Amino acid sequence: SRYSEEIFNFHGINAKWCPNFFDSVHFHKTNREYKEPHITFGLFGKFEKRKHTHNILVSWANKYANNKDVRLVCQIYNLFLPAEQQQQYINQVFGGKGVPWNITFLPFQEKNEDFNQVLNNVDIQMNNLKVEIVIVDTQEKVTFDFFNKTS
């Protein structure tokens, strides 16, 4: 953000702001009304350690599993792992007790328009709970994640 650029530069680190890229052709508001009386959380991306997918699922389930007022939609399929291994990871998350009824795991979405529908049905996205900043001048990496605080 421009704010982060300002703070880094104030402290003597030559940082530049880089705008996020957004594909507005394929991802946009559908203006479709979703009438569910609950809040829908979304978790997207590959099931990976560096993205803390396991920690996010455990934390969410500990707080909201089987709560009628909330749902979690996950699209965390990792094309680089066999489906059986991914299912084992999911089973580990829930200690072999089965997935709570208010958590849904979606398959990989082949079409952007299908994924766009999923995104439009989500109220709160829980992606990117780890932030990495690379300081350009020194190539030093500073990491903050919401599970370990710093690393």
Side-chain angles (χ1 to χ4, degrees), residues 4-147:
S4 296
E5 175 187 26
E6 183 180 311
I7 296 300
F8 277 100
N9 286 322
F10 177 79
H11 290 284
I13 299 169
N14 183 18
K16 301 292 181 211
W17 171 74
C18 179
N20 289 330
F21 174 77
F22 183 77
D23 179 357
S24 60
V25 173
H26 296 100
F27 301 103
H28 52 83
K29 275 187 146 181
T30 61
N31 295 321
R32 179 178 166 199
E33 287 193 37
Y34 297 92
K35 301 197 184 251
E36 291 90 1
H38 53 264
I39 296 170
T40 302
F41 289 79
L43 180 59
F44 307 105
K46 294 182 289 197
F47 195 120
E48 292 182 315
K49 181 177 182 174
R50 71 183 180 92
K51 293 184 179 184
H52 297 283
T53 312
H54 182 273
N55 294 347
I56 295 167
L57 285 168
V58 168
S59 297
W60 194 93
N62 285 341
K63 183 159 181 80
Y64 297 115
N66 300 312
N67 181 327
K68 67 177 178 55
D69 296 324
V70 293
R71 305 287 188 276
L72 174 59
V73 174
C74 301
Q75 186 172 328
I76 54 176
Y77 190 80
N78 188 335
L79 296 172
F80 301 106
L81 295 176
E84 300 80 25
Q85 186 175 2
Q86 293 181 67
Q87 188 59 51
Q88 287 175 349
Y89 289 157
I90 291 169
N91 291 341
Q92 288 173 0
V93 168
F94 302 107
K97 297 177 186 173
V99 177
W101 65 266
N102 61 337
I103 300 177
T104 304
F105 289 91
L106 299 175
F108 178 76
Q109 303 292 305
E110 295 288 337
K111 297 180 182 175
N112 285 337
E113 64 191 64
D114 295 335
F115 186 53
N116 187 59
Q117 289 294 330
V118 173
L119 291 174
N120 273 271
N121 193 33
V122 168
D123 299 304
I124 301 170
Q125 287 191 33
M126 299 188 302
N127 304 1
N128 303 318
L129 294 177
K130 180 175 180 181
V131 178
E132 291 184 349
I133 302 166
V134 177
I135 300 168
V136 177
D137 288 347
T138 62
Q139 293 300 305
E140 178 185 353
K141 183 168 75 169
V142 178
T143 303
F144 179 84
D145 74 63
F146 291 84
F147 297 101

